[in-house]
Amino acid sequence: MDEAPRAPGASRRGGERSVGEPPCYAALDLGTNNCRLLIATPSPAGFKVVEAYSRIVRLGEGLSQSGRLSEYAMDRALQALKVSAEKVRRRRVVRLKAIATQACRSAANGAEFIARVARETGLKLQVITPHEEAQLSVAGCLNLLDRGAEAALVVDVGGGSTELSWVDLKGGGLDEPPGRFAPGRLPIKAWLSIPIGVVTLAERFPEGEQGNEAWFRVMVNTVKAEIAAFQRADPMRPIFEADRAHLIGTSGAITSLAGLHLSLRRYDRSRVDGIWMSREECDAAAQRLLSLTPRERAEQPCIGPDRADLVLAGAAILQAVQELWPCSRVRVADRGLREGILLSLMSQGSGRRRRRRRRVRS
């Protein structure tokens, strides 16, 4: 992974920070649908979050039809990025990695938008590859892996793409201490990125007055067709067929599905992150969603108007994966890319400190 740039406005020698004050690191993820920021300080267990920010910006709205980021979408994203940059400055962040994913990867004017972001906010977005996106998603979910199982399939459902990573839970690389952590050393045996996410799928198959089973099945089968041709993970099929593996689902759509399953009156991350759902419970939540009109879905406290037209597309992607790679258990993750970035940043910082101490001793 490339070394992360210093945060906008950060002191070169850290002189602005109080003596003994722990350094702050930041991870910013600009996706097709969301802009998310996480600021944290290192801790023996990994890191401690000091501030989090998330806003739905729909940067990829209309991208699948036009091939370009629209002016309205870029303006929405820029407003969220300006808020994020101010939070980074206020917290005196010493190391920042700001990434952009599928929308900026595929848009004809993606590079132009990234240059505009740098001019107007000081943030230098890095467009990461799907492979790095998959690695960071797995890294962010490490604490949710059931080490009693033999394998896990981490499914990161984004707005414009979905990353699938098949992880060998009996392989090495999962127990590295924070200071030696590296996403590239994780035992990911196969990975796949498909150019379908909740925004692109919902735009490709717009909903009528109310979703129905036939419309939902078309979305499921479309996703299955993209995944089914992938064969590099086939050596792990016996583990899944014997139910010695589990899924991890990370996305706003999947956490909304879990909130609906729990009948929460308002979204509560502490109750959703890490929850186990059975295959039957996932199917039941999807069927409940299908029984609601778009307006009724928007009134659900864990969905809201911003996700009402996207959550069924997320449920369709999850169901497609479950039908191709059956598991009786799914673990819901309200975490992913940002957490993986923070672990990597802090590991890099720890490595630099160790090297400096060695030079001083010599």
Side-chain angles (χ1 to χ4, degrees), residues 141-147 152 154 167 169 174 246 248 331:
C141 295
L142 283 181
N143 291 343
L144 298 183
L145 295 170
D146 178 6
R147 303 300 294 277
V154 179
V167 184
L169 297 182
L174 292 175
H246 71 89
I248 288 184
R331 198 161 200 187

Side-chain angles (χ1 to χ4, degrees), residues 35 101 105 113 115 159 162 215 224 226 245 272 359:
C35 176
T101 55
R105 277 198 297 259
F113 171 66
T162 296
W215 165 77
K224 286 178 69 175
E226 287 281 342
V272 171
R359 284 196 294 268

Side-chain angles (χ1 to χ4, degrees), residues 116-356:
R116 180 182 171 192
V117 169
R119 288 194 307 271
E120 297 188 20
T121 71
L123 295 169
K124 296 181 180 179
L125 290 171
Q126 301 177 39
V127 180
I128 63 171
T129 66
H131 188 195
E132 185 175 1
E133 189 172 352
Q135 288 177 330
L136 290 170
S137 295
V138 174
C141 295
L142 283 181
N143 291 343
L144 298 183
L145 295 170
D146 178 6
R147 303 300 294 277
E150 293 184 25
L153 173 51
V154 179
V155 184
D156 181 6
V157 183
S161 66
T162 296
E163 280 67 46
L164 297 92
S165 303
W166 287 261
V167 184
D168 177 10
L169 297 182
K170 300 305 179 184
L174 292 175
D175 297 314
E176 293 287 347
R180 297 180 60 188
F181 173 78
R185 291 201 293 265
L186 292 170
I188 299 173
K189 296 303 181 183
W191 69 275
L192 170 68
S193 178
I194 62 172
I196 296 176
V198 293
V199 174
T200 50
L201 192 62
E203 288 182 348
R204 184 172 174 183
F205 300 103
E207 184 180 3
E209 289 298 317
Q210 181 169 339
N212 57 61
E213 186 65 36
W215 165 77
F216 186 73
R217 277 311 312 177
V218 170
M219 290 198 293
V220 172
N221 290 335
T222 298
V223 178
K224 286 178 69 175
E226 287 281 342
I227 300 172
F230 183 72
Q231 298 179 346
R232 290 189 60 184
D234 284 354
M236 302 187 78
R237 282 197 178 277
I239 299 174
F240 283 78
E241 291 168 356
D243 202 21
R244 299 196 301 270
H246 71 89
L247 295 184
I248 288 184
T250 170
S251 80
I254 294 176
T255 55
S256 295
L257 202 68
L260 185 72
H261 162 68
L262 292 171
S263 299
L264 297 180
R265 293 185 178 180
R266 64 180 182 83
Y267 185 77
D268 184 347
R269 183 184 185 275
S270 66
R271 295 190 61 187
V272 171
D273 184 48
I275 185 179
W276 287 99
M277 292 178 67
S278 68
R279 170 75 183 275
E280 292 73 22
E281 287 169 339
C282 292
D283 291 345
Q287 288 301 314
R288 183 178 170 189
L289 284 174
L290 271 172
S291 71
L292 302 175
T293 65
R295 181 175 179 178
E296 289 170 335
R297 285 201 302 275
E299 293 170 350
Q300 292 292 317
C302 292
I303 299 175
D306 288 332
R307 285 200 175 97
D309 60 336
L310 303 177
V311 67
L312 271 167
I317 293 171
L318 178 61
Q319 183 156 325
V321 175
Q322 288 177 312
E323 291 181 6
L324 289 171
W325 291 87
C327 292
S328 62
R329 299 183 303 151
V330 179
R331 198 161 200 187
V332 179
D334 188 347
R335 60 179 77 190
L337 277 174
R338 294 175 304 163
E339 288 80 1
I341 292 170
L342 284 174
L343 287 172
S344 181
L345 281 180
M346 291 175 185
S347 177
Q348 292 172 14
S350 175
R352 282 191 295 272
R353 287 193 296 272
R354 286 197 302 271
R355 288 192 294 272
R356 283 197 295 267

